[in-house]
């Protein structure tokens, strides 16, 4: 057992755990050094196969930790049993975030072709990993910048300048300093690198606080009542397939809105959640039975409403849209339809090619 724990393959496992437990909803406790174990494993490899397999292993582990909710989603929304949902989760974990093995592949051949020494090799490792995280397509993008925002660290304010994608790349690149500090931890240079990491982290947070404080005060403010009724997935799916529940869902939203207005009577407008209105809106559908009920509800309360609803585009395809209903109950146009759709949930990849 002791010999097993001495295996270098524990290094990519450790990176997977570090990355997975530093992502929302966890605090980003290891974000600045989570790649160090994996990169140290890569440093010792002379063959491509272990580099690729270690990248897949790390990705598999952190995806299992960070996206374990996919299991529940498959069970709840795809109506499959827990065993099938678990298998689906394992498949997603194996293929959902392949930027690490791709980065390992690119680094392995770049190091070989360029014939660089250890120092440049380490820099290539960090740069290629950051670029791969940015450019490699993923169903659910793994962005290391979001963790700083989720934990409330002021440094996330730098996204105003570099974007969250840039903040994610900078987080990955910061691991290079951590790798150097670890490899040279008994030397003055390694200790200086560790101090620079701490100093840089503190400076970025101080700068983030300054970026936030320099923003001018708002000219005015709006009080919004956000409403999401407790609609079960079975009700939602039955409604979408024309099997009823439209009246029940709309009634629940009416009741939840009135309850919210009773406690907060001075709001400027009400906002319902995505696809909350259980029928089509827009154009001819504004004269439907449910649309008229909605318009009457808003008109009687003299309060504007923003609501998610279904609509149809010029090709007669159903869209996921956002509508404004003004105080008079008029559905204003144009409405907004979501453009970046969720694969499998809102569109089928390659459906134009594989029509069957």
């Amino acid at each position: 057992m002791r010999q097993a724990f001495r295996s270098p393959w524990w290094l990519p496992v450790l990176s997977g755990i570090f990355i997975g437990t530093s992502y929302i909803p966890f605090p980003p406790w290891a974000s600045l050094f989570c790649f160090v174990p994996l990169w140290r494993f890569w440093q010792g490899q002379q063959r491509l196969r272990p580099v690729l397999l270690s990248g897949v292993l790390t990705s598999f582990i952190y995806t299992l930790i960070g996206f374990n909710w996919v299991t529940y989603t498959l069970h709840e929304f795809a109506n499959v049993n827990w065993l099938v949902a678990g298998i689906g989760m394992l498949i997603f974990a194996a293929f959902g975030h392949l930027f690490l093995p791709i980065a390992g592949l690119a680094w392995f051949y770049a190091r070989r072709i360029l014939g660089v020494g250890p120092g440049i090799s380490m820099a290539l490792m960090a740069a290629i990993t950051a670029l791969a995280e940015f450019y490699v397509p993923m169903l659910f993008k793994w962005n290391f910048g979001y963790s700083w925002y989720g934990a409330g660290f002021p440094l996330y304010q730098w996204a105003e300048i570099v974007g969250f994608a840039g903040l994610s790349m900078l987080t990955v690149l910061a691991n290079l300093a951590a790798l150097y500090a670890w490899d040279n931890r008994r030397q003055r240079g390694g200790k200086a690198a560790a101090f620079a990491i701490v100093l840089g982290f503190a400076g970025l947070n101080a700068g983030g606080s300054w970026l936030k404080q320099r923003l001018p005060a708002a000219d005015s403010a709006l009080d919004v009542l956000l409403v999401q009724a407790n609609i079960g997935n079975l009700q939602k799916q039955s409604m979408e397939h024309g099997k009823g529940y439209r009246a029940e869902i709309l009634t629940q939203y009416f009741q939840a809105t009135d309850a919210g207005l009773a406690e907060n009577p001075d709001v400027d407008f009400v906002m319902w959640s995505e696809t909350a209105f259980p029928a089509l809106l827009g154009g001819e559908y504004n004269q439907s039975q449910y649309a008229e009920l909605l318009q009457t509800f808003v008109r009687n309360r003299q309060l504007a409403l923003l609501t998610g609803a279904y609509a149809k585009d010029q090709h007669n395809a159903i869209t996921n849209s956002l509508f404004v209903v003004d105080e008079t109950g008029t559905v204003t146009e144009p409405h907004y339809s979501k453009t970046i759709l969720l694969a499998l949930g809102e569109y089928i990849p390659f459906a134009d090619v594989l029509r069957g």
Side-chain angles (χ1 to χ4, degrees), residues 294-313:
L294 176 67
Q295 292 167 8
T296 301
F297 177 84
V298 172
R299 189 182 308 116
N300 290 342
R301 286 150 187 80
Q302 287 291 295
L303 197 62
L305 170 72
L306 271 68
T307 181
Y310 302 95
K312 285 193 175 182
D313 63 15

Side-chain angles (χ1 to χ4, degrees), residues 104-116:
L105 173 70
W107 164 79
F108 184 85
Y109 282 112
R111 179 187 63 169
R112 175 174 292 183
I113 293 170
L114 297 175
V116 296

Side-chain angles (χ1 to χ4, degrees), residues 40-54:
R40 292 201 76 233
F41 179 86
W42 285 359
Q43 282 179 304
Q45 304 308 312
Q46 299 302 318
R47 294 184 301 116
L48 176 61
R49 188 169 180 268
V51 173
L52 291 177
L53 290 179
S54 61

Side-chain angles (χ1 to χ4, degrees), residues 43-109:
Q43 282 179 304
Q45 304 308 312
Q46 299 302 318
R47 294 184 301 116
L48 176 61
R49 188 169 180 268
V51 173
L52 291 177
L53 290 179
S54 61
V56 171
L57 178 60
T58 297
S59 299
F60 180 82
I61 292 172
Y62 75 64
T63 303
L64 276 181
I65 298 172
F67 284 82
N68 60 79
W69 51 266
V70 170
T71 309
Y72 174 81
T73 301
L74 288 171
H75 172 72
E76 181 70 14
F77 293 94
N79 290 319
V80 298
N81 61 49
W82 284 109
L83 176 61
V84 176
I87 294 173
M89 177 67 239
L90 293 176
I91 294 173
F92 174 71
F95 299 100
H97 299 99
L98 292 180
F99 78 90
L100 273 183
I102 291 174
L105 173 70
W107 164 79
F108 184 85
Y109 282 112

Side-chain angles (χ1 to χ4, degrees), residues 34 55 131 148 179 187 199 253 286 300 302 310 318 328 355:
C34 56
L131 289 171
W148 303 115
L179 176 61
Q187 301 173 19
L199 190 64
Y253 267 96
N286 292 340
N300 290 342
Q302 287 291 295
Y310 302 95
I318 294 178
T328 66
R355 291 188 179 276

Side-chain angles (χ1 to χ4, degrees), residues 58-351:
T58 297
S59 299
F60 180 82
I61 292 172
Y62 75 64
T63 303
L64 276 181
I65 298 172
F67 284 82
N68 60 79
W69 51 266
V70 170
T71 309
Y72 174 81
T73 301
L74 288 171
H75 172 72
E76 181 70 14
F77 293 94
N79 290 319
V80 298
N81 61 49
W82 284 109
L83 176 61
V84 176
I87 294 173
M89 177 67 239
L90 293 176
I91 294 173
F92 174 71
F95 299 100
H97 299 99
L98 292 180
F99 78 90
L100 273 183
I102 291 174
L105 173 70
W107 164 79
F108 184 85
Y109 282 112
R111 179 187 63 169
R112 175 174 292 183
I113 293 170
L114 297 175
V116 296
I120 301 299
S121 176
M122 287 168 53
L124 277 174
M125 199 180 295
I128 291 173
T129 302
L131 289 171
E133 189 272 330
F134 182 77
Y135 284 108
V136 173
M138 290 175 258
L139 183 60
F140 297 106
K141 191 71 173 176
W142 190 286
N143 191 303
F144 293 89
Y146 291 152
S147 295
W148 303 115
Y149 171 75
F153 281 88
L155 70 84
Y156 81 82
Q157 297 287 344
W158 288 99
E160 176 187 340
I161 298 172
V162 299
F164 274 101
L167 195 58
S168 181
M169 294 180 72
L170 290 173
T171 302
V172 175
L173 291 173
N175 279 252
L176 176 60
L179 176 61
Y180 179 85
W182 178 262
D183 285 347
N184 300 276
R185 57 190 179 278
R186 291 185 176 87
Q187 301 173 19
R188 182 176 298 177
K191 295 175 182 178
F195 179 74
I197 294 171
V198 175
L199 190 64
F201 183 73
L204 286 172
N205 277 284
S209 297
W210 174 81
L211 284 171
K212 183 177 181 180
Q213 292 173 2
R214 69 182 247 286
L215 296 175
D219 296 327
S220 60
L222 293 172
D223 290 322
V224 184
L225 177 65
L226 304 179
V227 178
Q228 180 162 352
N230 187 18
I231 308 299
N233 188 52
L234 180 60
Q235 291 176 292
K236 190 81 170 180
Q237 289 185 339
S238 298
M239 178 273 295
E240 290 172 348
H241 291 87
K243 298 179 180 178
Y245 290 107
R246 281 188 169 87
E248 291 87 345
I249 292 173
L250 194 56
T251 298
Q252 287 192 50
Y253 267 96
F254 287 164
Q255 292 174 346
T257 302
D258 281 338
L261 290 173
E263 296 180 7
N264 307 276
D266 297 324
V267 298
D268 295 296
F269 65 91
V270 176
M271 185 170 187
W272 289 358
S273 58
E274 183 179 17
T275 65
F277 183 70
L280 291 163
L281 271 181
E284 62 182 289
Y285 300 104
N286 292 340
Q287 283 73 51
S288 70
Q289 171 190 357
Y290 298 106
E292 290 179 355
L293 288 173
L294 176 67
Q295 292 167 8
T296 301
F297 177 84
V298 172
R299 189 182 308 116
N300 290 342
R301 286 150 187 80
Q302 287 291 295
L303 197 62
L305 170 72
L306 271 68
T307 181
Y310 302 95
K312 285 193 175 182
D313 63 15
Q314 63 271 26
H315 305 294
N316 210 37
I318 294 178
T319 61
N320 182 359
S321 302
L322 178 68
F323 285 87
V324 176
V325 186
D326 67 19
E327 295 89 341
T328 66
T330 302
V331 180
T332 62
E333 294 289 356
H335 60 271
Y336 170 79
S337 294
K338 188 176 178 182
T339 56
I340 301 177
L341 305 180
L342 177 65
L344 303 179
E346 294 174 320
Y347 79 99
I348 304 298
F350 309 111

